[in-house]
Amino acid sequence: MQHLNYNHLYYFWMVKRKGSVAKAAEALCLTPQTITGQMRLLENRLKGSLFKRVGRNLEATELGEVVFRYTDKMFNLSYEMLDLLNYQKDTSVLFEVGIADALSKALASRVLLTVIPHDGSIHLACYESTHESLIARLREHKLDIILSDCAGESLKYSDILSKKLGECGVSFFCAHSIDAPFPACLEQEKLLIPGIRTSLGQQLHSWFAEKNLNVSILGEFDDAAMMKAFGYFKRGIFVAPSIYRHDILSQGMVLLGETSDIKEEYHVMFAERMIQHPAVKSLLETDFTDLFLGLDQQVQDFDNRLGFAD
């Protein structure tokens, strides 16, 4: 049997993964005509069609599915080899981290600093984007791990592992104090809360009902930064995970109260091949309990300097 052209197999693999010739061509910096021509050569070599058109979409044929199963193993293994080789950058190990844009940068930095040694043996590279975009980059071997407050998307992919780093309750903040006890004070101003599609938003609506609170909601936000911005401009009471307490108080906001009945979780996501990466191993072995309980010494020192100690 003659050898297969691995470029042709790679082009096929990209078309199957991207879902169309046009998207694969864009990713490969080639013209769609080039991709189509190479695909025809591969089909001639394999003596069968690899795709069939269903409406405007391409779907793999039975032969295409068989070829994809093997090429997916082949090229994922080659990417894994490159990941291992690319760990080394000069004399340090490269550690590429994706940080969800909704995550507190102070929190992310404290998590990462616990696993970055002082000897310069790890070269850190951080990228910020949406959770969905980071998941795509992780699956394309462009990131080593993701730090996020959402793990749901990763559960759809068998090649991505997830571990909960910790959890914390939530706090309510306002630009001014309110002369009423918590949580009754939440009825005195309009609320700014996460969207109902989010875990935190769903928990809040249930909690309001359980506490028989007659609250007025000004707005619901998928973007936590936008929600806090409305609060900073004195447009209502907003909610945030209690771990961010010192960050928000440093902006002059007033803490109205907090509850542990509602939980926000934090996760690290990574591909199974990354388990042996020294920074990932250290991250998975680290106990972050004190950090998420607000007992982290660095956080306490920060709060004391700002005058927020209880």
Side-chain angles (χ1 to χ4, degrees), residues 5-163:
N5 186 312
Y6 280 74
N7 281 336
H8 295 171
L9 289 172
Y10 185 66
Y11 296 156
F12 160 77
W13 182 66
M14 288 296 290
V15 172
K16 179 68 168 63
R17 290 192 68 200
K18 296 296 183 180
S20 72
V21 171
K23 290 181 179 178
E26 182 180 359
L28 294 168
C29 298
L30 297 172
T31 65
Q33 293 79 6
T34 299
I35 298 292
T36 301
Q38 299 299 301
M39 293 282 296
R40 288 198 186 114
L41 292 174
L42 179 60
E43 289 180 326
N44 291 337
R45 176 69 183 82
L46 298 176
K47 295 181 173 58
S49 297
L50 296 170
F51 290 103
K52 59 185 177 182
R53 188 165 291 282
V54 180
R56 295 186 176 182
N57 300 319
L58 283 179
E59 290 188 4
T61 62
E62 186 175 342
L63 173 63
E65 290 291 354
V66 171
V67 175
F68 179 73
R69 284 200 297 272
Y70 283 96
T71 55
D72 198 44
K73 293 177 182 177
M74 288 166 48
F75 292 115
N76 274 315
L77 189 60
S78 68
Y79 274 120
E80 182 177 334
M81 177 189 70
L82 290 174
D83 285 338
L84 292 171
L85 295 176
N86 289 335
Y87 283 166
Q88 298 299 324
K89 183 169 183 176
D90 298 327
T91 58
S92 59
V93 177
L94 182 61
F95 187 37
E96 296 180 291
V97 179
I99 300 172
D101 52 9
L103 201 64
S104 161
K105 305 310 173 287
L107 175 64
S109 64
R110 289 196 293 274
V111 169
L112 292 174
L113 284 171
T114 61
V115 301
I116 303 299
H118 297 289
D119 60 7
S121 59
I122 289 181
H123 182 98
L124 180 65
C126 293
Y127 305 89
E128 180 185 6
S129 189
T130 63
H131 178 85
E132 293 75 14
S133 175
L134 293 175
I135 286 288
R137 288 179 63 87
L138 182 63
R139 298 195 72 226
E140 293 172 355
H141 305 262
K142 295 178 180 178
L143 292 173
D144 295 331
I145 68 163
I146 297 173
L147 295 178
S148 179
D149 55 356
C150 174
E153 186 75 10
S154 67
L155 301 179
K156 298 192 302 186
Y157 305 108
S158 59
D159 56 333
I160 296 180
L161 304 180
S162 175
K163 179 186 177 182

Side-chain angles (χ1 to χ4, degrees), residues 217-234:
I217 298 174
L218 173 63
E220 299 187 26
F221 304 81
D222 286 340
D223 186 339
M226 178 66 74
M227 178 180 65
K228 287 191 287 186
F230 269 72
Y232 291 157
F233 282 112
K234 305 179 181 180

